[in-house]
């Protein structure tokens, strides 16, 4: 099988997995086994594709041609490879976690949950391997639609309201801005293919480019750039595995990934730097970084705090893209990976606390570290990575972003990065510190630890794996670094 | 005397406006139908009068079966086409009228009235009942 | 032999079927006759379109009377496509009608129903195929009279009132069209569309021509429900029997749009309508207002059939918008949307027909929680809704793509943005229903219903499949639409 067909396979496998899950709905054990197996096979396939891409190949596969000259095409380039690797490897971990979580939490409609989960991953792979703007748009929208049932999983009024916000913002920005930008690009250049160095150079003036860039950056609402960020906190009503994989990794990363991709392959970083069209958007990203951090401070609900932290961290990637220089792109690309592993660990921990101790508010978690040491230790590791302190992987992305800002001559942005790191110490580090060092709140039942244990074993394993990955990425970021260097220019 | 020369058009416009007025202003459905009929009739008169030529005769072939009689080419005759078209239009008009009156009969059977405002009140009541249903 | 007479068969098939339907007293037999009529028409349409796409414009002298004296039928890419839409939808909806109509229409009237049904179809096909201006009027009235009768057979008593109001509006519109045609005849001495197109350029300055143009535009706009002449449409759609709504929503406004296209582009010519009269300046704001306000109004409707009816008025706005650009891309978009909208609205109304069959109401409260009871019906509705919104890989997306491309080509990027923004209004009104269907608590009545019978689901899903097929592989439709657009701008039919 050639790598192009493998890329198609990466889309098909989760979809087949979804069907299997549906067929095995009467036997939860078999159903979960099917989910895990699918995850394993997918990871294997993605690894295979990676071998080809690392060797310098660019696998292609044309699915169909809906409009003349506008094919539905899969092309695997290094950036997409990074995204696929992250999503593929974290899916199997999340499935492991979800098994513990969903059963521990006695969620209803678990089969529906796993089906749409698998479909969402299939769409994510489509986003990662999209060969042109049209294909990207299709999978981007499909991802929105396939995650909607997951967001509204609880079926309560609050969930429905959140679902409306979720769909409303994501669909209206993508149809209103992104699609307009795509058609406009097509009109200007006669193509919608991704090409190294961009397709717009020499075909559009500075004004049009500035407008187009804004349309793309805001139109890709999944990147949660302010003021189009409201959907992300709203989506937190979903079960925690969804928040963890989709709203810390797959969906939001699909957003920032798309922005990176558009910057590199549609505009071209040299062309952007030359025009300076992205400078004001850097500051929008910087403002989002700071503002979202400040909002995170005020959230006592752990998942809400993590959501705002995600908004803030996503803008790092947008910032990297808007810097439009080699170091910025490397930093942005690396941050997709680093933040994914760090944030998923944090969400896993939040879910574990919810399942084991039934606590969602940070102020209730005092002293909980003694009964759930593994969970909070992992939370500590995740926090390190988000802040960007050694020995966690987040160090690298912050380092390159800082270098990128200096290269672009934007000393102010370096300051923003530093302030943001300080803020994240303030709002994230406080959680494990309190859990370990504050005295526990008096237990209303008056005996022992109130029957609180560690999270279910599958979940705990998942947590340990992702937190170890945070360390591993510090020591050995090379595979990702090599991939991103292939597209970031000299 | 252009005004008088075009008097057939003025007749048409007058009839049309009378019909149109009845159509809009009358609440009685039967009167509306009458208005519509007047409106359509004015169109028919318009067509017929355009085909008429002063001094023209009926467009009948003059002569025997084997040839055209001498001087036949100079015979002034009215254009038959609009008249023929209006035969069709009259049929259409009659059909429309029948349809409209049949509907009025059914409305009278169902609502018990042919007054527009009374029917409207019942329609609104229907709407409200539907909206209020759980 | 038969191939040469396809244009006549196109119209005569349904016409004969109409007469036969009324003569037989058995409802199933009359349905069979109607089905045969529809299938004949569809076969003829396919044959005609394939010949036209081979590069041959078909001219057919009806009854052997040559053009200036007799009535001539002409088929090019534009009306070839329209014929295909009407006849194709006709077959699918007739299939649907068998079961649906037995539930919604008084049993004794069913043969009459199919008589009117076939007359309506015959009229619509006739309008599309004829090359004679007065003949357009005659067929228009045939189809309209059929439609009035069909609407009046709705089970709700409001159907009668809406049919009567439609009759009044429709007759005024038809009279306007006749006046316009009469004035053109007075001025040029011909009723043949092709001859009109040849003789009119010399008379562009005449006031009579201008008046004729105005009468024709207003009359046709009434028929196609161009905002603000749309008031008859929502109630007519809402209270007609489900199958009737499916038929007229998918075909009758489309045919009226075709008439508009024919007069604007072929008869008067683009230099007159869009050059001298700058019609684009008038149509553009009307279309935008239609799209915007009607989508907004749709959001607040609780009767879902009426909601879709308002949406139809908005969608006609999209078609008119494409026309107002008067460019190849714009007209391609308009023609494509003509086809695509027929598919999506047909599918949506048929899905509602399934609901009507089982639940007996299409009020949003009656739809609550039906997602579990009627999964296939509701999946069809959702898929149709996605197509209406313009989600990629459905036909709706293809139309939107060309429409936005057309707007950007003209440099009207605010219009392009508005087209996309209004799609999100469609998201709102479709999603209201989807949410009620999948997340609502079923009412006592909805809780006991089961899935619609296969005889209803098959036609519904056939249209959904077409929605998806032509969304994934739009090469056929875009080709035909492109050829149609070039034919329209090229002048002669």
């Amino acid at each position: 099988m050639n790598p192009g067909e493998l890329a198609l396979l990466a889309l098909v496998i989760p979809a087949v997995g979804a069907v299997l899950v549906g067929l095995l709905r009467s036997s939860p054990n078999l159903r979960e086994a099917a989910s895990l197996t699918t995850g394993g096979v997918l990871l294997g396939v993605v690894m295979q594709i990676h071998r080809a891409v690392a060797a310098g190949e660019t696998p292609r596969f044309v699915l169909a041609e809906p409009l003349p000259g506008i094919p539905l095409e899969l092309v695997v380039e290094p950036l997409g490879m990074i995204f696929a690797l992250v999503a593929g490897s974290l899916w199997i971990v999340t499935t492991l976690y979800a098994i513990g979580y969903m059963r521990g939490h006695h969620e209803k409609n678990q089969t529906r949950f796993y089906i749409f989960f698998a479909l969402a991953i299939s769409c994510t792979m489509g986003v990662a391997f999209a060969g042109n703007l049209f294909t990207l748009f299709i999978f981007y929208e499909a991802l929105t639609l396939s995650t909607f049932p997951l967001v509204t999983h609880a079926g309560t009024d609050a969930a429905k309201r959140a679902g409306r916000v979720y769909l409303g913002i994501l669909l209206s920005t993508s149809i209103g801005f992104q699609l307009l930008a795509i058609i406009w690009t097509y009109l200007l250049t006669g193509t919608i293919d991704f090409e190294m160095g961009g397709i717009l150079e020499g075909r559009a003036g500075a004004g049009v480019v500035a407008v187009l860039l804004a349309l793309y950056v805001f139109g890709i609402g999944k990147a949660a750039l302010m003021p189009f960020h409201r959907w992300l906190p709203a989506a937190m009503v979903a079960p925690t595995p969804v928040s963890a994989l989709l709203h810390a990794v797959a969906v939001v990363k699909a957003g920032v990934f798309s922005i990176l991709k558009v910057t590199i392959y549609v505009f071209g970083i040299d062309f952007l730097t030359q025009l300076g069209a992205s400078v004001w958007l850097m500051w929008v990203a910087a403002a989002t970084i700071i503002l979202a951090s400040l909002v995170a401070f005020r959230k006592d609900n752990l998942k809400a705090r993590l959501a705002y932290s995600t908004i803030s961290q996503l803008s790092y990637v947008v910032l990297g893209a808007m810097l439009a220089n080699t170091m910025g792109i490397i930093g942005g690309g690396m941050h997709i990976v680093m933040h994914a592993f760090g944030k998923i660990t944090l969400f896993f921990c939040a879910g574990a606390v919810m399942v084991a101790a039934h606590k969602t508010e940070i102020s209730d978690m005092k002293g909980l570290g003694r009964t759930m040491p593994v969970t909070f230790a992992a939370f500590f590791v995740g926090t390190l990575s988000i802040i960007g302190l050694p020995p966690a992987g987040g160090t690298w992305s912050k380092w390159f972003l800082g270098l990128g800002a200096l290269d672009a001559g934007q000393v102010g942005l370096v300051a923003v990065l530093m302030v943001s790191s300080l803020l994240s110490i303030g709002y994230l580090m406080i959680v494990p510190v309190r859990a370990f060092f504050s005295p526990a709140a008096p237990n209303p039942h008056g005996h022992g630890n109130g029957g609180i244990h560690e999270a279910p074993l599958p979940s705990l394993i998942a947590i340990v794996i992702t937190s170890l990955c945070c360390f591993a990425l510090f020591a050995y970021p090379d595979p990702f670094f090599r991939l991103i260097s292939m597209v970031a220019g000299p | 005397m252009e005004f008088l020369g075009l008097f057939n058009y003025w007749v048409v416009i007058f009839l049309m406006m009378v019909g149109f007025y009845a159509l809009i202003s009358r609440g009685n459905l039967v009167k509306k139908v009458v208005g519509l009929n007047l409106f359509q009739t004015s169109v028919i008169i318009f067509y017929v009068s355009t085909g008429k030529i002063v001094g023209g005769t009926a467009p009948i072939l003059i002569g025997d079966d084997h040839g055209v009689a001498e001087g036949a080419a100079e015979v002034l005759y009215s254009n038959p086409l609009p008249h023929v078209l209006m035969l069709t239009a009259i049929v259409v008009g009659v059909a429309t009228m029948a349809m409209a009156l049949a509907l009025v009969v059914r409305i009278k059977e169902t609502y018990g009235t042919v007054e527009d405002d009374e029917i409207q009140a019942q329609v609104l009541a229907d709407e409200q009942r539907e909206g209020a249903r759980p | 032999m038969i191939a040469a007479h396809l244009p006549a068969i196109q119209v005569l098939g349904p016409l004969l079927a109409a007469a036969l339907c009324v003569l037989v007293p058995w409802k199933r037999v009359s349905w069979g006759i109607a089905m045969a009529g529809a299938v004949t028409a569809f076969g003829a349409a396919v044959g005609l379109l394939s010949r036209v796409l081979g590069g041959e414009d078909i001219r057919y002298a009806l009854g052997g009377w040559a053009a200036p004296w007799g009535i001539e039928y002409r088929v090019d890419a534009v009306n070839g496509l329209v014929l295909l839409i009407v006849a194709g939808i006709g077959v699918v909806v007739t299939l649907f009608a068998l079961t649906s109509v037995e539930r919604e229409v008084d049993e004794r009237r069913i043969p009459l129903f199919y008589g009117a049904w076939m007359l309506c179809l015959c009229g619509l096909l006739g309008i599309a195929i004829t090359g004679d201006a007065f003949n357009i009027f005659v067929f228009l009235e045939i189809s309209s009279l059929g439609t009035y009768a069909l609407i009046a057979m709705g089970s709700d008593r409001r159907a009668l009132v809406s049919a009567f109001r439609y009759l009044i509006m429709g007759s005024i519109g038809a009279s306007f069209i006749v006046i316009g045609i009469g004035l053109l005849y007075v001025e040029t001495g011909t009723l043949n569309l092709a001859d009109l197109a040849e003789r009119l350029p010399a008379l562009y300055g005449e006031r009579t021509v201008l008046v004729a143009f105005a009468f024709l535009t207003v009359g046709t706009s009434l028929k196609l429900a161009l905002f603000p002449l749309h008031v008859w449409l929502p109630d007519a759609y809402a209270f007609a029997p489900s199958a009737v709504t499916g038929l007229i929503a998918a075909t009758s406004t489309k045919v009226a749009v075709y008439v508009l296209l024919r007069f604007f582009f072929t008869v008067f010519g683009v230099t007159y309508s869009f050059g001298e009269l700058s019609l684009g300046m008038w149509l553009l704001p009307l279309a935008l207002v239609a799209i915007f306000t009607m989508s907004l109004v749709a959001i607040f409707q609780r009767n879902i059939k009426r909601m879709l009816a308002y949406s139809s008025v908005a969608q006609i706005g999209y078609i008119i918008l494409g026309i107002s650009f008067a460019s190849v891309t714009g007209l391609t978009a308009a023609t494509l949307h003509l086809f695509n909208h027929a598919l999506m609205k047909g599918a949506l109304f048929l899905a509602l027909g399934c609901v009507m069959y089982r639940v007996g109401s299409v009020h949003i409260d009656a739809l609550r929680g039906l997602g579990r009871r009627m999964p296939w019906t509701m999946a069809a509705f959702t898929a149709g809704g996605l197509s209406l919104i313009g989600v990629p890989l459905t036909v709706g997306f293809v139309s939107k793509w060309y429409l936005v491309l057309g707007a950007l080509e003209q440099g009207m990027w605010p219009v392009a943005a508005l087209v996309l923004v209004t799609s999100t209004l469609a998201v709102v009104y479709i999603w209201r229903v989807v949410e009620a269907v999948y997340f609502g608590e079923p009412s006592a009545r909805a809780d006991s219903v089961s899935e619609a019978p296969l005889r209803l689901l098959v036609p519904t899903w056939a249209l959904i499949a077409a929605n998806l097929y032509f969304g994934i592989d739009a090469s056929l439709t875009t080709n035909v639409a492109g050829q149609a657009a070039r034919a329209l701008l090229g002048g002669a039919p």
Side-chain angles (χ1 to χ4, degrees), chain A residues 358-372:
Chain A
H358 307 293
K359 289 189 188 341
T360 55
E361 306 302 306
I362 294 162
S363 47
D364 294 341
M365 293 178 193
K366 283 176 192 158
L368 212 54
R370 266 157 280 176
T371 43
M372 303 181 70

Side-chain angles (χ1 to χ4, degrees), chain B residues 2 13 70 92 95 99 105 109 111 113 116 119 124 129 131:
Chain B
E2 203 187 356
I13 290 169
E70 228 173 286
V92 168
M99 183 76 220
V105 170
E109 282 171 8
Y111 290 85
T113 173
D116 205 20
I119 295 168
L124 282 179
R129 201 166 40 249

Side-chain angles (χ1 to χ4, degrees), chain C residues 378-470:
Chain C
M378 284 307 149
F381 185 88
T382 312
L386 290 178
S387 187
L388 189 68
I389 293 167
V391 172
L393 300 188
T394 60
V395 288
F397 181 77
V398 180
S399 322
K400 292 268 160 73
W401 177 275
Y402 276 95
L403 204 54
V404 172
L405 208 58
L408 286 176
E409 245 179 33
Q410 307 280 313
M412 296 191 236
W413 62 268
V415 174
L418 211 56
V419 167
L420 293 171
V421 170
T422 49
S423 312
T424 57
L425 292 178
V427 174
V428 177
Y429 60 73
I430 290 295
W431 214 259
R432 256 176 78 234
V433 182
V434 170
E435 216 181 75
V437 162
Y438 287 103
F439 297 104
E441 283 302 313
S443 64
R445 184 161 45 151
D447 211 24
S448 59
V449 300
S450 51
E451 184 52 272
L454 216 53
R455 278 167 299 173
L456 294 182
L457 280 179
V458 167
T460 313
W461 273 93
L463 285 181
I464 291 292
N467 266 296
L468 298 177
Y469 177 77
F470 289 111

Side-chain angles (χ1 to χ4, degrees), chain A residues 66 70 134 138 148 152 164 167, chain C residues 392 397 401 431 435 439 472 474:
Chain A
I70 300 173
F134 174 69
I138 288 179
F148 173 78
T152 54
R164 255 177 251 155
L167 267 195
Chain C
F397 181 77
W401 177 275
W431 214 259
E435 216 181 75
F439 297 104
I472 292 170

Side-chain angles (χ1 to χ4, degrees), chain A residues 264-285:
Chain A
I264 298 174
Y265 294 111
V266 174
F267 291 92
I269 51 177
D270 295 337
F271 185 49
L272 269 188
T273 329
Q274 190 191 320
L275 288 179
S278 60
V279 174
W280 72 279
L281 287 166
M282 282 180 213
W283 288 100
V284 173

Side-chain angles (χ1 to χ4, degrees), chain C residues 2 5 15 32 43 67 84 99 116 129 143 164-165 176 191 194 201 206 228 284 359 407 457-458 475 484:
Chain C
I2 288 182
H5 292 291
L15 190 63
L84 186 74
T99 315
I129 202 171
S143 75
F164 185 81
R165 287 183 186 158
F176 272 35
L191 287 168
E206 294 281 333
L284 183 76
V359 187
L457 280 179
V458 167
S475 52

